[in-house]
Amino acid sequence: MTKKALEPLEFLGNRKPLSETELAYMKVIWAHPEGISSDDIYRQFPNAQGTKSTILFRISDKGYVNVIREGRHFLYSPQITELQYNQALMQAAMKKTFGIAQLPNFIAAFCGKKELSEDAKKRLDSFLKELEHD
């Protein structure tokens, strides 16, 4: 059985999604938004050194991290937040499953409407902003 290629995340500039292994490494990087050295990342995973380097290279190649060389080591810092990544995954899943990528349109369809009224859009926007600050 062949593995199906993951669709690019159009909501993240068409970056390719992270594999499960890449996501595990990325979670370590997200936990250090100021940056984390390759050595500190390597210590957290049991893989062979070459495998760890390859995984970090793939994450970098997909555009999820900034990489700065510091002597013999590298400093990795995230280009996007974990929240942004998860939002893009949700938008992609909504679009693939329902053909709708924007939350207001999704909610309208869920409620059996073609679209939300301007007042409902404003209330939804206000509600979402409130949730972000909680």
Side-chain angles (χ1 to χ4, degrees):
M1 179 176 4
T2 59
K3 203 173 191 181
K4 184 180 176 191
L6 297 172
E7 296 291 321
L9 297 172
E10 70 178 275
F11 308 102
L12 285 177
N14 284 324
R15 287 178 175 98
K16 292 180 183 175
L18 298 165
S19 70
E20 285 185 42
T21 303
E22 292 165 349
L23 183 59
Y25 279 66
M26 196 64 208
K27 285 181 182 254
V28 171
I29 296 167
W30 279 323
H32 299 87
E34 72 288 349
I36 182 170
S37 75
S38 51
D39 277 354
D40 289 337
I41 297 170
Y42 292 163
R43 280 193 277 276
Q44 299 194 33
F45 296 95
N47 312 75
Q49 185 77 13
T51 302
K52 295 174 194 178
S53 295
T54 299
I55 292 166
L56 288 171
F57 173 79
R58 287 194 320 239
I59 292 169
S60 172
D61 195 45
K62 289 181 177 182
Y64 287 100
V65 293
N66 295 312
V67 183
I68 299 170
R69 186 178 189 99
E70 291 187 339
R72 294 180 26 221
H73 307 285
F74 295 93
L75 182 70
Y76 292 86
S77 60
Q79 283 191 13
I80 64 161
T81 66
E82 187 172 10
L83 178 60
Q84 289 170 318
Y85 182 73
N86 289 331
Q87 285 174 326
L89 289 178
M90 291 300 297
Q91 286 176 310
M94 284 177 21
K95 185 172 183 181
K96 181 178 180 181
T97 305
F98 304 107
I100 301 169
Q102 300 302 317
L103 185 59
N105 297 339
F106 180 80
I107 291 172
F110 183 80
C111 295
K113 299 180 183 280
K114 187 170 182 140
E115 63 182 45
L116 295 178
S117 68
E118 287 304 314
D119 183 53
K121 287 179 187 177
K122 287 178 185 173
R123 286 184 290 157
L124 177 60
D125 187 51
S126 176
F127 175 69
L128 293 173
K129 285 180 180 169
E130 184 180 316
L131 285 176
E132 286 177 6
H133 292 49
D134 279 350

